[in-house]
Amino acid sequence: MSPSPVASPSPSTNPERARQLRRVALSGLLGTAVEFYDFLVYGTVAALVFGELFFPGADPAVGTIAAFGTFAAGYVARPLGGIVFGHFGDRLGRKSMLLLTMGLMGGASFLIGLLPTYDTIGVWAPVLLITLRVLQGIAIGGEWGGATLMVVEHAGERRRGLWSSFTQMGAPLGSLMSSLVVTLVVAMPRDQFAAWGWRVPFLLSVVLLGVGLFVRLKVVESPLFAEVKKDRAEARLPILDVLRRPRPLLLACCVGIGAFTAQSLLTSYLIAYATGIGYARPQVLTALTVSATVALVVLPCASALSDRVGRRPVVLTGAVLSAATAFPVLALVDSKSPASLILAVVIGHGIAQSVMYGPLGALLTEMFGTRVRYTGASLGYQGATLIGAGFSPMIAGSLVAGSGNGTPVALLICGGSLITALTVWFVRETSRTSLSGSATELPTTPRAEEITA
C-alpha cells in the first residue's frame, strides 16, 4: 500500500511541526557543517603538507598529486556511502542513519589527527591515511542525502527550497570553519606546523562532533517516512528500484557536475595552485574565508528564489554565470594580487557556484519518491561529486604542470558548467510537485490540489 498522495499540510499551520522543522533545519546545518569541516580540512591540509609527510621519496609535484589521490579516494567512497546508508535510511529510517554518519565522519577525522607519519611507521602511514579517508567518504556519502531530505520532508509542500538551503549552507559554513582553523595553524613556524600543527584541525573535530550529535538527537523522524513505515510500504531493495528507472539518477548526477567542479577547483585545488605561483598561504585562506562568508548569503537567496521561479532557471543561471566568469576569475588569480585573488574566489565560488548549488538540495530530493528518496538523492548527489570534484584536482594539477598556466582550470570549470546547463533542459521542474507518494520519479506537473494547497 502506498502513502496517500494528498499534499501534507504546511508546517506553519501546526506549531509543533514548525518547531520540529526549525530543529531539523538546524540539525541539517550543523551536521553538514561538521561533515564538510572534516572533509575539507583534509583537502586543505593535503595541499599544504601531506605530500611530504605521507608520500616522501618523490619530487614535490608527484607528492602533491599522490596526496590528492587520497582526496579522490574519499570521493570514490562517497557513492558507496550513498548506497549503504541510503538502503538502510529507506528501510529503517532517516534519523538513525544520520547519527551513524556523523559519528563515523567525526571519528575518522579525529583518528587522522593521531596518525603517525611515514617517518615513523613507513608505508603503513599512507595506507592508514587512505583507509580513514575512505571512511570519511562513506560517511559523507550518506550524510548529505539524509540531512537534506529530512529538512525537505519536514517542510512539506511550501518553501522547500528555502528550508533545504540550511543544509546547503553547511558546505560553506564547514569551509569557513576549516579555513579559519587552518589559517591559525599555518601562521605557526613551518617546522612546527609540519611536526604537529597540522593535527590540530582534525583533533578539534571531536568538539564539533559532540555539538552536532547533541542537536541531532533531538529531531524526530521524517513524517513522510513515518507514513511509509506505518503502511509497511518500504522498498525491499531501494537501489534496484532506482536502477530500474535510471533516468532520474542519471539526470541528478549530471545536473550537479558543474557546481562540484567549480567548488573543488576554486577551494581545495586553488590552495596548491595559488601558493605555487607565489601567493602566501594565509592570503589564499583569507580569500577562501571571504568567499565562504559570501556563499552563506547567496545560497539561501538562490534557494528561496527557486521556490518562486523554479529550480531549473536558477541552476541554469548559475551554470551560465560560472562558465562566463571562469577565464576572468583565473586571470584575476594569475595577476598575483591578494585583492584580486579575493575578488576572483568571491565571484567564482561565493556567487556563481553558490547560485548553481543552492537549489540542488531541493531539486535532487524532489526527483525521487519517498520509498527510495534517501538512496536516489544520495547517489545522484555523490555521483555528481565523484565526477565533478573527485578527480578535478588531479586532472587540473597534471594539465597545469604540462601547460604552465591556469587555462586548463578555466576550461574544466566551463566544461562542468556546460554539462549542468545542458542537463537542466532535460530535468522536469519539481518545485510545485508533491513529495507524497512512492514512485521513483515524480509527475511532470503538479496536481490541482497541490497548486491550491
Side-chain angles (χ1 to χ4, degrees), residues 364-389:
L364 268 60
T365 302
E366 293 161 349
M367 291 174 70
F368 300 90
T370 304
R371 295 175 68 248
V372 298
R373 187 168 288 133
Y374 203 141
T375 300
S378 295
L379 278 181
Y381 184 91
Q382 304 308 336
T385 305
L386 173 63
I387 299 169

Side-chain angles (χ1 to χ4, degrees), residues 130-215:
I130 292 174
T131 300
L132 291 173
R133 184 59 174 171
V134 169
L135 290 177
Q136 281 190 325
I138 291 174
I140 204 170
E143 162 66 25
W144 180 90
T148 301
L149 67 88
M150 273 283 279
V151 177
V152 172
E153 289 181 347
H154 272 275
E157 309 302 336
R158 295 174 184 267
R159 298 193 297 173
R160 296 192 299 248
L162 175 62
W163 284 108
S164 70
S165 70
F166 282 86
T167 303
Q168 299 294 79
M169 286 190 288
L173 181 59
S175 176
L176 180 61
M177 292 190 298
S178 66
S179 295
L180 289 174
V181 172
V182 173
T183 297
L184 293 176
V185 296
V186 298
M188 302 169 57
R190 175 66 183 177
D191 58 337
Q192 293 184 26
F193 175 73
W196 59 271
W198 66 269
R199 300 179 183 274
V200 174
F202 294 102
L203 297 177
L204 285 177
S205 65
V206 72
V207 178
L208 300 175
L209 174 63
V211 175
L213 287 176
F214 175 78
V215 174

Side-chain angles (χ1 to χ4, degrees), residues 102-116:
M102 181 174 285
L104 183 60
M105 187 73 184
S109 184
F110 182 76
L111 290 176
I112 288 176
L114 298 177
L115 271 183

Side-chain angles (χ1 to χ4, degrees), residues 36 75 78 144 168 247-265 311-312 314-316 318-319 322 349 352-365 367-368 376-390 392 412-427:
F36 274 87
Y75 279 109
R78 289 171 74 153
W144 180 90
Q168 299 294 79
R247 185 175 183 272
L249 178 60
L250 294 175
L251 292 176
C253 288
C254 291
V255 79
I257 287 176
F260 292 113
T261 300
Q263 181 187 58
S264 179
L265 294 178
R311 318 293 184 216
R312 298 170 70 244
V314 178
V315 174
L316 179 60
S322 183
H349 179 255
Q353 190 272 346
S354 295
V355 172
M356 189 168 26
Y357 179 68
L360 285 183
L363 175 61
L364 268 60
T365 302
M367 291 174 70
F368 300 90
S378 295
L379 278 181
Y381 184 91
Q382 304 308 336
T385 305
L386 173 63
I387 299 169
S392 293
L412 285 171
I413 293 174
C414 287
S417 300
L418 178 61
I419 292 174
T420 292
L422 291 175
T423 305
V424 165
W425 292 101
F426 297 95
V427 173

Side-chain angles (χ1 to χ4, degrees), residues 65-354:
I65 292 174
F68 275 119
T70 64
F71 186 70
Y75 279 109
V76 170
R78 289 171 74 153
L80 176 61
I83 294 173
V84 172
F85 287 104
H87 172 83
F88 290 105
D90 283 327
R91 290 282 300 164
L92 304 178
R94 293 29 171 146
K95 178 180 175 178
S96 57
M97 294 304 105
L98 290 176
L99 293 171
L100 287 175
T101 59
M102 181 174 285
L104 183 60
M105 187 73 184
S109 184
F110 182 76
L111 290 176
I112 288 176
L114 298 177
L115 271 183
T117 62
Y118 186 93
D119 289 340
T120 303
I121 60 172
V123 71
W124 284 106
V127 169
L128 291 173
L129 178 65
I130 292 174
T131 300
L132 291 173
R133 184 59 174 171
V134 169
L135 290 177
Q136 281 190 325
I138 291 174
I140 204 170
E143 162 66 25
W144 180 90
T148 301
L149 67 88
M150 273 283 279
V151 177
V152 172
E153 289 181 347
H154 272 275
E157 309 302 336
R158 295 174 184 267
R159 298 193 297 173
R160 296 192 299 248
L162 175 62
W163 284 108
S164 70
S165 70
F166 282 86
T167 303
Q168 299 294 79
M169 286 190 288
L173 181 59
S175 176
L176 180 61
M177 292 190 298
S178 66
S179 295
L180 289 174
V181 172
V182 173
T183 297
L184 293 176
V185 296
V186 298
M188 302 169 57
R190 175 66 183 177
D191 58 337
Q192 293 184 26
F193 175 73
W196 59 271
W198 66 269
R199 300 179 183 274
V200 174
F202 294 102
L203 297 177
L204 285 177
S205 65
V206 72
V207 178
L208 300 175
L209 174 63
V211 175
L213 287 176
F214 175 78
V215 174
R216 189 155 281 181
L217 283 167
K218 292 181 175 294
V219 305
V220 299
E221 185 57 86
S222 155
L224 290 181
F225 179 78
E227 188 178 359
V228 169
K229 194 76 173 175
K230 177 182 177 182
D231 292 339
R232 298 182 180 180
E234 307 97 320
R236 185 173 183 180
L237 289 172
I239 183 64
L240 293 184
D241 287 354
V242 171
L243 294 179
R244 285 192 189 103
R245 302 178 64 186
R247 185 175 183 272
L249 178 60
L250 294 175
L251 292 176
C253 288
C254 291
V255 79
I257 287 176
F260 292 113
T261 300
Q263 181 187 58
S264 179
L265 294 178
L266 294 175
T267 54
S268 297
Y269 176 74
L270 184 70
I271 298 172
Y273 177 78
T275 54
I277 64 174
Y279 287 99
R281 289 169 183 160
Q283 292 174 333
V284 183
L285 294 174
T286 297
L288 294 177
T289 300
V290 174
S291 171
T293 304
V294 172
L296 286 172
V297 177
V298 176
L299 277 170
C301 292
S303 301
L305 182 62
S306 75
D307 284 328
R308 292 183 172 272
V309 303
R311 318 293 184 216
R312 298 170 70 244
V314 178
V315 174
L316 179 60
T317 299
V320 172
L321 186 60
S322 183
T325 58
F327 282 95
V329 161
L330 263 295
L332 287 170
V333 174
D334 288 338
S335 71
K336 301 182 181 180
S337 163
S340 296
L341 176 65
I342 293 175
L343 180 62
V345 185
V346 167
I347 293 173
H349 179 255
I351 299 175
Q353 190 272 346
S354 295

